[in-house]
Structure formats: C-alpha cells, structure tokens
Amino acid sequence: MKKWWMAVSTLLFAGLAQAQSLGALQVNGQAGSQQLFQKVKAVRCAVGQRGTCDAPVFFDLNTATSVPAGTYIVGFENSIYPEMVNVSGGYTTTLNLERISVPSQVRGQKIRVYRDFSSLIEQKKIYMTMFAMNRHLFRLDKDNFGDLYIAGLWERDYVQRFTYEVCPRIDAYGEVSSSARAVCSAWNKAKDPMGLRELYNFSNDGTFQEMWVTFPGDVIPSKHPRYLVSAPMTEQDFVAVFPGAYKVQAEGKNMPSVSVKVGNVSQNASTFGFSLNAVKSFINLDGEDCSSARTWKTESRAYCTSDQQEGCDRSNAESCEPM
C-alpha cells in the first residue's frame, strides 16, 4: 500500500511540475485585409546559448496558446517584437499589435508597407534573431509581389542559406580568404547580438547587405530587398505590426516614402538583455582622429558614413578609416 501511494504521489508531483512549466502566450490585434498568413510565429530560445532554440509554434491572434515556459522570439507577418518575450509557468503573457494606416502623403493604387532598416530598432531585431537562432526568423521569398516577402510552403526560401554553419570550423578549410576569416571571426566572437553588427550594412532605402560565408569558405555579400509586412494594399487598408519602424510607399517611380514608428520602442534600450554600453577604443590615424574619417563604427552601427544616420554620431566612433 505504501509503495502504491508513493508511486501515485510521484506521478501527481510530476504532473504538477509539468503543468507549472507551461505558460500561455497571446497576441492581440486585427490583421489587415492584405496580410495573408495571419499567424503568430513564436520560437523559444535559451538566452546566452546561441542556436539553442525549439521548433517554432504557430497560433491565431487573440487566442491564449499553451507553450512551455521560457524566452521567445515572437513575430507576425514579417514584423518582430523588439525584445525577447518571457513566458512564465502558470501565467499568460500578452502582446499587442500596433496598427499602421496609410499616411495622407501617400497616394496610389498599390501601397506597400515594409520594415525600415535605416532605424536601429529594426536593425537590432536582425541581430537578436540571428544571435539566438543562428538564422533569420521567417522563411522569405524574393519574388512575391516584386519584393521580399514571407514564403509559402513550396516557394523558394531566400534566406535559408544564411546560417554561418561553416564559421565554427573555418580553420578546417585550410586556405580561405582573409575576408572569410574576418566575417567568421565576428560571428564566432560575438558575445551578444550587437557583436554581429559588422556582418550587416543597412541602407536608407529599406534594404541591407549581409556578409555570408559559404561552405567552401567564400564570402558573398548578399543584398536583402525590402521586407514587406503585407501584400500591396489600398489607401483604405491598414496593417497590424509589432512595435518598430516602418516605411509606407506607393508603387511607382519617384513616389515618396513616409517613415512611421509605432509602439513604445526605446532606441537606447538593450536588445536580448545585454547592455549596449561599450568602452570606446577611439583610434587616431596619421595624427588625426575620426572627425576626418570616411567611414567609422559605433557601438550601434558598423558602417557609418554620415552623422545623419541613426546611431552614427561621429563623436561616439570606436574605430574609423581615413579619408
């Protein structure tokens, strides 16, 4: 009788422990009519252990979904929540989508809303996902709607190859280019998401370039087209996105784009729980400092050419190249 009770007690305790390790995640909002997938994507990752992530889970808006307790990257229709999201056992963590309507300055038959990668908040989302997952969060296709967009099940995954799996064993490849070693050095030595910033050069037009190392040890600078958050829409439509920075533009030559920031986002906040404060290593070149440099690097951006770029204050340069 005693053994039977001990066995039952053990099962009850195990069941209680399992229940306590489960929480719930809910994302509230209404998707726009041209947001085609309308599913939340969440990936649980171990903080501080790069590439240690579970398989993604998908669920509907406005529905509490049971998930294991832990820290998650959460996305919706190619927009990404700007911080890792903690889900505690026995509790529901709720996130809210923001709505972007078409600004009055934008007029046209087909209007696109895409992520503004000239903004630090969207750049940090790239660093966060690549540091945690060793890959990008969404499957993307280069040909949908004439722009980069979320790929369907049978469509070509544009970013699947950007995994940097070669970097941990780059030395085993013998003679490789110095640029490949430099890229892999940045990848291997990164202690936090911002350590990956040298791999990315973000442009003001919503595109960015990623330095990628192939298995033979070659470096390929690959340009990412704009990341749409919906199919092209009309002036009466809206899109639902996570807090961040976006651009709205009508299709056509020389059409103006309007930058929109939504949600409570702090440009100075840390990403992934790491402080972004760094000890400056200001470099003097030929007796001159970075005030006369052509390009420079700060703790926020690796490729600065103008003080007008966000995160590129020349007085905060860590290193630079001469004119």
Side-chain angles (χ1 to χ4, degrees), residues 58-124:
F58 299 87
F59 53 91
D60 294 326
L61 293 175
N62 309 307
T63 303
T65 302
S66 180
V67 294
T71 308
Y72 286 79
I73 295 174
V74 185
F76 178 75
E77 294 278 337
N78 212 8
S79 70
I80 298 175
Y81 194 77
E83 301 284 349
M84 299 290 287
V85 177
N86 185 60
V87 176
S88 300
Y91 295 90
T92 298
T93 298
T94 302
L95 305 175
N96 296 308
L97 294 172
E98 305 288 339
R99 179 180 289 203
I100 297 179
S101 299
V102 178
S104 58
Q105 306 95 305
V106 179
R107 291 288 183 267
Q109 296 298 316
K110 291 185 177 181
I111 296 171
R112 306 172 190 270
V113 181
Y114 54 96
R115 291 167 62 185
D116 182 4
F117 284 115
S118 67
S119 175
L120 289 181
I121 189 65
E122 294 302 320
Q123 295 172 19
K124 291 176 182 178

Side-chain angles (χ1 to χ4, degrees), residues 173-189:
Y173 285 80
E175 292 295 328
V176 297
S177 66
S178 58
S179 57
R181 291 195 179 278
V183 170
C184 280
S185 177
W187 176 265
N188 292 335
K189 292 180 179 179

Side-chain angles (χ1 to χ4, degrees), residues 14-237:
L16 179 62
Q18 183 178 17
Q20 289 177 335
S21 67
L22 289 176
L25 184 58
Q26 180 171 335
V27 176
N28 293 331
Q30 179 185 355
S33 64
Q34 298 305 307
Q35 293 184 287
L36 305 181
F37 295 87
Q38 302 191 12
K39 293 285 186 180
V40 179
K41 181 176 184 177
V43 178
R44 186 175 71 157
C45 297
V47 176
Q49 301 179 39
R50 295 173 62 181
T52 307
C53 300
D54 296 342
V57 294
F58 299 87
F59 53 91
D60 294 326
L61 293 175
N62 309 307
T63 303
T65 302
S66 180
V67 294
T71 308
Y72 286 79
I73 295 174
V74 185
F76 178 75
E77 294 278 337
N78 212 8
S79 70
I80 298 175
Y81 194 77
E83 301 284 349
M84 299 290 287
V85 177
N86 185 60
V87 176
S88 300
Y91 295 90
T92 298
T93 298
T94 302
L95 305 175
N96 296 308
L97 294 172
E98 305 288 339
R99 179 180 289 203
I100 297 179
S101 299
V102 178
S104 58
Q105 306 95 305
V106 179
R107 291 288 183 267
Q109 296 298 316
K110 291 185 177 181
I111 296 171
R112 306 172 190 270
V113 181
Y114 54 96
R115 291 167 62 185
D116 182 4
F117 284 115
S118 67
S119 175
L120 289 181
I121 189 65
E122 294 302 320
Q123 295 172 19
K124 291 176 182 178
K125 292 177 184 180
I126 294 291
Y127 305 148
M128 178 180 70
T129 54
M130 288 299 289
F131 186 84
M133 299 178 61
N134 287 352
R135 61 180 300 132
H136 294 280
L137 176 62
F138 289 105
R139 297 177 63 245
L140 301 169
D141 180 77
K142 193 174 181 179
D143 300 317
N144 271 355
F145 314 115
D147 266 317
L148 196 65
Y149 190 61
I150 308 170
L153 181 62
W154 302 111
E155 294 171 327
R156 181 164 58 91
D157 189 351
Y158 175 71
V159 297
Q160 186 176 12
R161 62 182 182 270
F162 297 108
T163 62
Y164 298 92
E165 294 176 1
V166 68
C167 283
R169 51 183 185 273
I170 188 70
D171 292 335
Y173 285 80
E175 292 295 328
V176 297
S177 66
S178 58
S179 57
R181 291 195 179 278
V183 170
C184 280
S185 177
W187 176 265
N188 292 335
K189 292 180 179 179
K191 302 299 182 184
D192 58 59
M194 295 301 294
L196 301 179
R197 67 189 186 280
E198 294 184 24
L199 306 181
Y200 302 93
N201 189 2
F202 296 94
S203 302
N204 291 330
D205 63 356
T207 67
F208 66 92
Q209 180 175 277
E210 179 172 8
M211 302 301 294
W212 171 59
V213 181
T214 67
F215 273 99
D218 298 323
V219 172
I220 300 177
S222 295
K223 185 175 182 179
H224 289 236
R226 300 177 298 177
Y227 280 25
L228 286 171
V229 295
S230 81
M233 60 186 197
T234 67
E235 299 171 21
Q236 290 73 39
D237 290 325

